[in-house]
């Protein structure tokens, strides 16, 4: 199965992609996490990426496409989270898949109002020991996770607004692109986490 999870910041792409990857037994490819790992490793590329990431700006297409290409062109399926997010990236992915002979099965577009998205990002915390992501009220850390729980540098009010602005301008056009390909499944992501997972599973005709 080759799936893209598309949606604005805070819609639950990471949360839902993780569950779907476990359900389908395929890797969860998350470009945001790849970028944060490169920054944490302190490499020359990481220093370059940090400039974009910390300001909430998009990393240039050529850098992202180079990193993703070897991960998506093999025979194994995947769930893509955070890629593509520009029409240039989507067209590159179309070309890569056509050349490799493996097609895309579906694109899940998560939808929720901007005020809800801001509240989710504002309450998000990552465990420094396990790397898992939680929410202070809707998805609190379990007692077994020792933390400490830290906020992302791009989850500040100004950067959240900028990231959502970029989503509407640069990523939203992908919805029409994938609708035209007959691959789009729009899912209401404003409900609780488990309800959204159920809706995706039902929409794709998967057995939970
Ligand atoms: P990335 O890490 O992809 O961040 P993002 O796009 O800003 O998306 P988020 O991680 O904020 O949202 P999400 O939808 O995954 O939400 P989550 O599941 O965590 O990218 C970071 C940066 O990397 C970008 O700004 C850019 O610089 C760069 N980048 C990455 N990919 C790129 C690309 N392709 N091209 C160019 N640049 C790129 O959920 C959010 C919170 O809400 C969590 O706390 C969660 O527990 C909670 N939650 C989730 N679902 C629900 C629910 N249904 N109800 C209540 N709470 C919920």
């Amino acid at each position: 199965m080759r799936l893209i999870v598309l949606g604005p910041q805070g819609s639950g792409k990471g949360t839902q992609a993780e569950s779907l990857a476990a359900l389908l037994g395929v890797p969860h490819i998350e470009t945001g996490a790849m970028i944060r790992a490169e920054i944490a490793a302190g490499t020359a590329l990481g220093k370059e990426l940090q400039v974009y990431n910390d300001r909430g700006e998009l990393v240039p297409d050529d850098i992202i496409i180079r990193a993703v290409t070897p991960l998506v062109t093999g025979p194994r399926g995947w769930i893509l989270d955070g890629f593509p997010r520009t029409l240039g990236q989507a067209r590159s992915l179309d070309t890569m898949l056509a050349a490799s002979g493996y097609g895309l099965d579906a694109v899940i577009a998560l939808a929720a109002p901007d005020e809800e998205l801001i509240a989710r990002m504002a309450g998000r915390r990552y465990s420094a020991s396990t790397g898992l992501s939680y929410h202070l009220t809707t998805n609190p850390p379990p007692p077994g996770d020792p933390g400490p729980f830290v906020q992302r540098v791009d989850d500040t009010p100004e950067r959240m607004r900028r990231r959502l602005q970029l989503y509407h301008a640069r990523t939203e056009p992908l919805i029409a692109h994938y609708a035209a390909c007959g691959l789009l499944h729009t899912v209401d992501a404003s409900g609780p986490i488990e309800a959204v997972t159920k809706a995706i599973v039902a929409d794709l005709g998967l057995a939970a």
Side-chain angles (χ1 to χ4, degrees):
M1 192 92 175
R2 289 175 182 76
L3 288 181
I4 293 174
V5 183
L6 190 69
Q9 291 75 8
S11 59
K13 296 184 298 295
T15 305
Q16 298 300 334
E18 201 176 303
S19 302
L20 289 171
L23 179 69
L24 296 168
V26 295
H28 170 196
I29 301 172
E30 185 187 2
T31 46
M34 288 162 59
I35 289 167
R36 286 186 289 279
E38 195 71 34
I39 294 171
T43 62
L45 175 62
K47 289 190 173 71
E48 190 185 342
L49 296 174
Q50 189 163 17
V51 176
Y52 299 100
N53 180 81
D54 289 9
R55 292 200 322 245
E57 298 293 333
L58 291 177
V59 168
D61 282 357
D62 59 326
I63 299 181
I64 288 287
I65 291 166
R66 216 171 26 245
V68 169
T69 303
L71 305 177
V72 298
T73 44
R76 190 151 185 221
W78 33 253
I79 312 270
L80 269 179
D81 157 15
F83 179 92
R85 69 174 84 194
T86 64
L87 275 173
Q89 293 177 17
R91 290 187 183 119
S92 286
L93 180 64
D94 292 344
T95 308
M96 285 178 223
L97 292 176
S100 69
Y102 300 110
L104 194 55
D105 292 290
V107 177
I108 300 150
L110 299 176
D114 280 8
E115 318 80 72
E116 170 71 17
L117 304 173
I118 297 273
R120 290 186 190 174
M121 285 186 272
R124 173 168 48 195
R125 296 291 183 276
Y126 284 84
S127 165
S129 46
T130 64
L132 294 172
S133 151
Y134 301 102
H135 188 277
L136 292 176
T137 51
T138 62
N139 184 21
D145 191 329
F149 302 99
V150 293
Q151 206 166 7
R152 260 169 55 176
V153 286
D154 56 344
D155 278 347
T156 63
E158 187 197 333
R159 288 162 192 167
M160 289 190 284
R161 271 196 304 275
R162 175 64 182 150
R163 285 155 60 212
L164 282 173
Q165 194 181 41
L166 280 171
Y167 173 80
H168 293 305
R170 305 282 310 276
T171 310
E172 223 160 47
L174 270 60
I175 291 176
H177 174 79
Y178 288 116
C181 303
L183 292 169
L184 192 73
H185 297 250
T186 302
V187 172
D188 176 7
S190 57
I193 293 173
E194 296 73 23
V196 178
T197 310
K198 267 193 187 160
I200 296 172
V201 165
D203 207 290
L204 294 178
L206 303 170

